[in-house]
């Protein structure tokens, strides 16, 4: 027997316990809350530009009005991630934040339709996005907490599935309420939101709280003593002396994989934000030939944009189960690269379309990209993060989502009016090129967990 280590006073290594593989229904339950979260995002992405225009916003005003959304993510997600890393109570580490965020988000969705002036609508957007971010970030960290490495891709893919389903219904709600239930799609008066949009937000408030509550009460997190068994390198889960300032110090010592993914995320989300901001204006003007927000034709086109957003999210829900297969046959970063390039081509293709029905083909391409965006970066990142700081780093990763959105909100209005002479369709082309570049940059990423 070699006693040299004992002679030097070295402590014996703690035994390593593997996290148990969870069943399909356990992964289902822990991901179900994303149905509600994306219901909120889906209503926001498909309708907020429409609401802003209805309340009198000009085409070059829309990006700066949207800036509240990424600012909310920039401030909230890292802080909530850090706090959830250092929380334990009756609802575990993460579930308390799911529930609080859901309550606040449902309130914001309920009051949004009562906006009658732009500044009030912008404040509603800020409250909604801050609240959604309180719920969303801990959901990402929960997958890293609960699942072994071999199931992480499946876990994030399941989240993508529910994100897709939630966004399909949310995006299409005004269209469904108008064409199936006969609810008016036209504003009652100048500067008023159509009833079809208002009722969609009211329904969204109910779905959000119900879906998140399902996960809160159907999922049981590992207590701290079990978490330490799975990660014996963690001596304790207590708050470090730096406290919340650790968020800012750790930003400069992030794992290499996270820094590489940051580049990919930057160009990806610049493209997405350009799409969310300008698709309504681009489609109603380029395909429907109108900018009159009070006209029947404009509101018909705006509803069709909601359907298009529902389609790309619907295909994302389907593709979510194929992305792990593509990754297994190639690699996670190759699957992500292919998806982003196809999505960028889909975004560019909108500029060649005159028949609204043909937009659905573009949405299929964007759906593939969206499915991968919601799963692959997080599956790659989770393996590169220290388990003790999973929530904090997942929250910090959000910087590379919101910073490009803030940049987009700051410059896209100028680019659209001065460079593209008010033609928002070319802004979508610009976004498509950004997404293709993001796909190519995926090739530089090191996936440390690739051999799982």
């Amino acid at each position: 027997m070699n006693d040299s280590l004992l002679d030097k006073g070295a402590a014996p290594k703690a035994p390593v316990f593997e996290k148990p593989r969870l069943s399909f229904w356990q992964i289902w339950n822990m991901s179900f809350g994303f149905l509600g979260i994306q219901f909120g995002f889906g209503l926001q992405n498909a309708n907020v530009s429409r609401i802003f225009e209805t309340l009198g916003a000009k085409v070059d005003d829309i990006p700066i009005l949207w800036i509240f959304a990424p600012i909310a993510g920039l401030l909230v997600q890292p802080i909530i991630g850090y706090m959830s890393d250092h929380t334990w109570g009756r609802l575990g580490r993460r579930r308390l934040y799911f529930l609080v965020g859901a309550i606040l988000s449902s309130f914001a969705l309920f009051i949004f339709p009562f906006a009658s002036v732009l500044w009030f609508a912008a404040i509603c957007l800020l409250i909604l996005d801050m609240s959604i971010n309180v719920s969303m970030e801990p959901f990402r960290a929960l997958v890293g907490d609960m699942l072994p490495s071999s199931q992480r891709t499946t876990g994030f893919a399941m989240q993508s599935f529910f994100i897709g389903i939630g966004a399909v219904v949310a995006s299409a709600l005004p269209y469904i309420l108008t064409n199936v239930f006969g609810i008016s799609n036209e504003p009652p008066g100048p500067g008023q939101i159509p009833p079809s949009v208002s009722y969609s937000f009211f329904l969204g408030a109910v779905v959000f709280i119900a879906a998140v509550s399902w996960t809160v009460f159907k999922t049981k997190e590992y207590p701290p003593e079990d978490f330490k068994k799975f990660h014996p390198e963690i001596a304790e889960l207590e708050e470090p002396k730096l406290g919340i300032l650790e968020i800012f110090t750790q930003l400069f010592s992030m794992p290499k994989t996270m820094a590489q993914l940051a580049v990919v995320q930057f160009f990806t989300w610049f493209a997405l934000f350009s799409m969310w901001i300008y698709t309504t204006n681009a489609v109603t003007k380029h395909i429907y030939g109108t900018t009159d927000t009070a006209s029947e034709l404009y509101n018909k086109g705006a509803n069709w944009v909601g359907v298009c957003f529902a389609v790309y999210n619907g295909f994302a829900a389907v593709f979510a189960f194929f992305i792990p297969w593509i990754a297994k046959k190639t690699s996670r970063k190759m699957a992500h690269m292919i998806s982003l390039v196809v999505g960028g081509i889909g975004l560019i293709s909108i500029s060649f379309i005159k028949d609204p029905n043909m937009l659905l083909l573009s949405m299929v391409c964007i759906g593939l990209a969206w499915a991968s965006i919601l799963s692959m970066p997080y599956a790659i990142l989770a393996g590169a993060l220290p388990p003790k700081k999973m929530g904090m780093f997942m929250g910090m990763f959000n910087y590379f989502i919101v910073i490009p959105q803030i940049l987009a909100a700051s410059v896209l209005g100028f680019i659209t009016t001065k460079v593209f002479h008010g033609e928002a369709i070319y802004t979508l082309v610009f976004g498509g090129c950004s997404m293709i570049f993001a796909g190519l940059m995926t090739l530089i990423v090191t996936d440390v967990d690739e051999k799982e």
Side-chain angles (χ1 to χ4, degrees):
M1 178 178 178
N2 187 344
D3 294 325
S4 59
L5 290 178
L6 295 177
D7 292 340
K8 295 179 181 179
K13 289 185 177 180
V16 178
F17 295 87
E18 292 291 332
K19 291 178 186 176
R21 290 177 63 85
L22 300 189
S23 69
F24 173 85
W25 290 113
Q26 286 174 307
I27 299 175
W28 174 283
N29 288 336
M30 67 186 284
S31 303
F32 190 78
F34 250 110
L35 177 72
I37 290 173
Q38 195 57 37
F39 223 91
F41 270 132
L43 288 169
Q44 171 186 296
N45 294 340
N47 295 289
V48 167
S49 286
R50 175 184 186 176
I51 291 172
F52 285 157
E53 287 192 281
T54 298
L55 296 178
K58 298 178 181 178
V59 66
D60 52 339
D61 294 330
I62 295 175
I64 203 67
L65 289 168
W66 268 88
I67 202 170
F68 289 108
I71 286 176
L74 183 69
L75 298 174
V76 172
Q77 283 214 24
I79 294 173
I80 293 299
Y82 176 87
M83 291 172 63
S84 68
D85 281 342
H86 299 87
T87 294
W88 183 262
R90 293 180 62 185
L91 291 177
R93 301 174 75 196
R94 315 294 184 187
R95 289 177 293 157
L96 171 64
Y97 299 95
F98 301 167
L99 188 58
V100 171
I103 293 170
L104 295 173
S105 298
S106 295
F107 170 74
L109 285 168
F110 185 81
I111 66 171
F112 214 132
F114 295 101
S116 58
V117 290
L118 276 173
W119 66 264
F120 185 78
I123 290 174
C124 288
L125 177 60
L126 174 62
I127 296 171
L128 177 59
D129 240 73
M130 289 183 70
S131 305
I132 291 176
N133 278 289
V134 171
S135 284
M136 186 173 68
E137 193 289 323
F139 262 100
R140 299 293 192 193
L142 185 67
V143 171
D145 289 347
M146 300 292 293
L147 295 179
S149 177
S150 59
Q151 286 190 304
R152 282 183 193 144
T153 302
T154 300
F156 286 115
M158 184 70 79
Q159 288 188 352
S160 296
F161 170 74
F162 282 117
I163 288 170
I165 295 297
V168 165
V169 180
S171 300
L173 257 186
Y175 181 90
I176 294 170
L177 292 178
T178 297
N179 292 277
V180 177
F181 296 98
I183 294 175
S184 174
N185 186 49
E186 296 183 22
Q192 294 185 331
I193 298 170
S196 60
V197 176
S198 297
Y199 285 118
S200 296
F201 276 69
F202 297 151
L203 287 171
V206 175
V207 173
F208 200 120
I209 189 69
V212 172
S213 295
W214 180 275
T215 290
V216 169
F217 297 109
K218 287 288 187 177
T219 299
K220 184 178 180 181
E221 297 178 67
Y222 295 124
E225 55 269 21
D226 287 352
F227 195 76
K228 291 177 185 178
K229 290 178 182 178
F230 299 137
H231 303 285
E233 71 276 14
I234 299 176
E236 57 183 11
L237 292 174
E238 296 177 1
E239 187 172 351
K241 292 181 180 179
L242 285 175
I244 209 163
L245 291 176
E246 185 181 7
I247 296 172
F248 305 102
T249 60
Q250 291 292 319
L251 182 62
F252 299 100
S253 58
M254 72 180 75
K256 177 182 177 181
T257 297
M258 183 172 168
Q260 294 168 335
L261 282 169
V263 179
V264 177
Q265 292 289 86
F266 181 90
F267 289 99
T268 298
W269 285 87
F270 188 93
L272 288 171
F273 207 59
S274 67
M275 179 182 74
W276 292 331
I277 292 175
Y278 278 117
T279 298
T280 297
N281 184 275
V283 168
T284 53
K285 184 175 182 180
H286 177 68
I287 296 178
Y288 286 83
T290 182
T291 57
D292 180 7
T293 60
S295 69
E296 179 182 355
L297 195 59
Y298 174 90
N299 285 285
K300 181 179 179 181
N303 265 12
W304 190 246
V305 170
V307 173
C308 289
F309 279 21
V311 168
Y312 91 70
N313 280 287
F315 273 95
V318 174
F319 289 141
F321 292 103
F322 288 95
I323 293 291
W325 178 83
I326 297 173
K328 186 176 181 180
K329 293 296 182 181
T330 55
S331 67
R332 287 193 286 215
K333 65 182 185 180
M334 185 61 67
H336 195 47
M337 186 273 287
I338 294 170
S339 301
L340 290 180
V341 170
V342 171
I345 292 172
L347 203 51
I348 293 170
S349 70
I350 296 174
S351 64
F352 298 99
I353 291 173
K354 288 297 184 181
D355 179 357
N357 294 315
M358 294 299 294
L359 286 172
L360 302 183
L361 295 178
S362 302
M363 296 301 118
V364 172
C365 297
I366 295 169
L368 175 60
W370 186 231
S372 188
I373 290 165
L374 294 173
S375 57
M376 282 300 107
Y378 300 97
I380 295 170
L381 179 65
L385 299 181
K388 183 177 180 179
K389 300 177 181 179
M390 182 73 69
M392 182 185 70
F393 275 116
M394 283 287 185
M396 287 168 55
F397 193 55
N398 193 54
Y399 286 154
F400 311 112
I401 293 175
V402 299
I403 289 174
Q405 292 182 51
I406 292 172
L407 177 64
S410 302
V411 304
L412 281 180
F414 175 84
I415 291 174
T416 302
T417 55
K418 302 300 182 182
V419 179
F420 300 139
H421 306 293
E423 298 295 333
I425 190 67
Y426 297 121
T427 309
L428 299 189
V429 173
F430 187 49
C433 294
S434 179
M435 188 173 288
I436 292 172
F437 183 75
L440 298 177
M441 293 304 293
T442 304
L443 299 177
I444 72 172
V445 175
T446 302
D447 187 352
V448 298
D449 222 10
E450 197 170 68
K451 301 301 182 182
E452 64 179 39

